[in-house]
Amino acid sequence: MTTRNWAEPYKIKMVELIKMTSREDRLNAIREAGYNTFLLRSEDVYIDLLTDSGVGAMSDRQWAGMMMGDEAYAGSRNFYRLRDTVKEYYSYEYTVPCHQGRGAENILSQCLIKPGEYVPGNMYFTTTRLHQELAGATFVDVIIDEAHDAESDHPFKGNVDFDKLDTLVAEVGAERIPYVCMATCVNMAGGQPISMANLKQLRAWCDKHGIMLVHDMTRVAENAHFIQRREDGYRDKSIKEIVYEICSLTDAATMSSKKDAMVNIGGFLAMNDAKFYEKACSLVVVYEGLHTYGGMAGRDMEALAIGITESVQDDHIHARVGQVQYLGRRLRESGIPIVNPIGGHAVFLNATKMLPDIPQEQFPAQALAAALYVESGVRSMERGIVSAGRDKETGENHKPKLELVRLTIPRRVYTQAHMDVTVDAVREVVRRRDEIKGLRFTYEPAMLRFFQARFEQIG
Ligand code: F0G
């Protein structure tokens, strides 16, 4: 049987020029940035795979929507369009716009958490956990063990382990668990999905214990793709139907719409409970803005509403995840150790395996990301011990089993040729890996240290 080639379901109407720099320029730039790719200037970057957040290409329809902004302080028509779209596509009754995902996490955590409580989740996310901790809670990881094993090819590494949840209830009591935080396509595990079966079981578990189920829906459409491909009974369902089903199994959601929904800025908190909505409205005015804009311009809410409708198109999501799979497969074929299975938004390089001589305390993934930049101008992100931060009680470094570099693919931005150049760059870094040195902090911020930390090379 012959396989047919496929292509992106769009054509390019406008381009942004990028330029390749010299190795010497990049060496200077990374030194100036303290070996932290977050501190590089974007104009010094050739192919930017730092994140998939806020960097997607909006469609002509979304740009047209920007012209339809109703910038009234209160009751903008774009808010109502957004609210109705969230209800139609994601099932949630009430929407509170926020400037981005962490704005929604702040409101959520303040509304639902009392000091001394515990929030279980299918792996942590940096900002999500910090907001839980700032509200006085302790995060408890209840993801299946396979998620912490880069080699395991479990098809649903985002699944929840019910023994871990039961243990937590036995230890602290259900009344001290305000909600379970369930992410779709778990970022820190490598963009790994949760199955619908596991989610249904989680719904039943939450009902049994009278605990709310909150959805970090940042990458829900990508999760739906994996359910469609891998789970019995979903092959003939559309992405739109699967997304709706996922959302309707949960009580509330935080959304960073800078990812799935392809806008440059924005997010929301959504829920079904009227009392919770009322409380969120009273807090959003303190931190974000009035409840009908929450830190977003009217035009941005319009672009977001349109982005939501585009994000659940089967053609779109298959091309989007397909591009990530292409990059991952090519790296794997070149013998590069990556997290398996290949995720939905990024390919994660296994830095532990690529740099076995650099101990985790010397930040191998951070060093690898810096080396990849110097080699090629490709910008990536550390997702290992630096991102994991310190234990809030003991002050010790969290030591995650996954010491990774994330090559994150923006939506609708780069071509297959950019993926090929990236593969060549990673291969070249591997060839020269003996030149890579460990790092130590010269500046370590107290919170979310990975964003602004600075390092120097050891030896
Ligand atoms: N939840 C998840 C799963 C995320 O990936 C992010 C952001 C957030 C919440 C917070 O949203 O950035 O809009 O405030 N992730 C970005 C990334 C930063 O690069 O992975 P935000």
Side-chain angles (χ1 to χ4, degrees), residues 38 50-54 99-105 124-128 131 183-188 216-219 254-259 264-267 345 348 381 383 406 408 450-451:
F38 277 101
L50 181 72
T51 179
D52 60 332
S53 183
H99 77 282
Q100 59 181 73
R102 69 199 74 179
E105 291 166 352
Y124 82 103
F125 183 71
T126 53
T127 58
T128 320
H131 279 298
T184 31
C185 253
V186 180
N187 190 355
M188 301 302 274
D216 179 340
M217 61 177 299
T218 297
R219 298 183 181 84
T254 53
M255 174 61 151
S256 168
S257 34
K258 302 168 72 173
K259 283 85 163 172
N264 302 123
I265 193 72
H345 68 302
F348 290 71
M381 183 194 290
R383 291 276 86 152
R406 189 180 74 174
T408 338
F450 55 96
F451 283 129

Side-chain angles (χ1 to χ4, degrees), residues 20 46 69 110 139-140 158 188 198 220 225 263 321 345 360 391 411 440 447:
M20 185 58 164
Y46 177 43
Q110 290 204 41
F139 169 79
V140 182
M188 301 302 274
N198 190 263
V220 64
H225 168 88
V263 287
V321 179
H345 68 302
Q360 195 172 25
D391 185 281
R411 294 165 186 80
R440 64 175 155 245
M447 287 188 281

Side-chain angles (χ1 to χ4, degrees), residues 165-189:
L165 273 178
D166 287 338
T167 304
L168 180 66
V169 168
E171 278 170 14
V172 308
E175 63 290 347
R176 287 173 73 197
I177 303 174
Y179 62 92
V180 175
C181 179
M182 182 281 299
T184 31
C185 253
V186 180
N187 190 355
M188 301 302 274

Side-chain angles (χ1 to χ4, degrees), residues 181-447:
C181 179
M182 182 281 299
T184 31
C185 253
V186 180
N187 190 355
M188 301 302 274
Q192 305 291 335
I194 182 171
S195 72
M196 195 70 90
N198 190 263
L199 177 54
K200 284 183 180 161
Q201 205 182 334
L202 181 59
R203 174 74 267 169
W205 187 93
C206 286
D207 288 342
K208 179 173 141 204
H209 293 281
I211 296 173
M212 268 179 81
L213 180 52
V214 178
H215 178 197
D216 179 340
M217 61 177 299
T218 297
R219 298 183 181 84
V220 64
E222 289 162 12
N223 199 117
H225 168 88
F226 290 117
I227 288 176
Q228 193 188 52
R229 291 290 161 106
R230 295 179 187 163
E231 200 164 350
D232 286 343
Y234 287 91
R235 206 138 311 201
D236 297 325
K237 294 226 159 101
S238 67
I239 296 294
K240 185 179 171 195
E241 288 169 319
I242 300 170
V243 164
Y244 191 87
E245 185 174 344
I246 293 172
C247 294
S248 48
L249 286 165
T250 67
D251 300 302
T254 53
M255 174 61 151
S256 168
S257 34
K258 302 168 72 173
K259 283 85 163 172
D260 248 11
M262 292 173 289
V263 287
N264 302 123
I265 193 72
F268 56 80
L269 172 63
M271 69 286 279
N272 296 321
D273 182 74
K275 282 253 154 12
F276 177 18
Y277 175 61
E278 205 176 288
K279 200 165 174 191
C281 284
S282 69
L283 277 180
V284 80
V285 290
V286 182
Y287 294 102
E288 305 281 319
L290 193 72
H291 62 283
T292 57
Y293 75 86
M296 293 183 79
R299 53 180 174 271
D300 289 331
M301 290 190 281
E302 189 66 21
L304 169 53
I306 297 166
I308 290 170
T309 67
E310 292 179 2
S311 75
V312 299
Q313 300 303 318
D314 284 62
D315 279 356
H316 158 70
I317 205 74
H318 295 160
R320 190 285 185 279
V321 179
Q323 189 178 41
V324 178
Q325 304 292 309
Y326 172 82
L327 173 65
R329 271 198 307 273
R330 283 221 50 210
L331 286 167
R332 202 156 56 195
E333 282 158 17
S334 306
I336 310 290
I338 59 172
V339 173
N340 283 322
I342 300 161
H345 68 302
V347 177
F348 290 71
L349 305 175
N350 186 344
T352 313
K353 279 208 148 174
M354 287 171 76
L355 302 176
D357 297 333
I358 301 184
Q360 195 172 25
E361 296 72 26
Q362 295 182 15
F363 316 127
Q366 188 78 31
L368 184 62
L372 178 62
Y373 169 72
V374 172
E375 183 57 48
S376 61
V378 172
R379 171 153 70 172
S380 57
M381 183 194 290
E382 192 264 10
R383 291 276 86 152
I385 186 168
V386 180
S387 295
R390 292 181 183 273
D391 185 281
K392 70 170 177 141
E393 304 295 339
T394 66
E396 293 295 313
N397 280 318
H398 287 296
K399 285 201 178 151
K401 290 209 183 81
L402 300 177
E403 181 68 24
L404 310 173
V405 167
R406 189 180 74 174
L407 301 169
T408 338
I409 314 304
R411 294 165 186 80
R412 306 193 291 207
V413 170
Y414 291 117
T415 66
Q416 191 157 318
H418 292 107
M419 301 300 110
D420 292 338
V421 167
T422 302
V423 174
D424 290 348
V426 176
R427 285 165 58 165
E428 191 55 24
V429 169
V430 169
R431 205 180 61 77
R432 300 176 65 157
R433 68 175 144 200
D434 292 343
E435 297 166 28
I436 302 175
K437 299 191 175 86
L439 300 171
R440 64 175 155 245
F441 279 116
T442 57
Y443 167 60
E444 182 186 351
M447 287 188 281

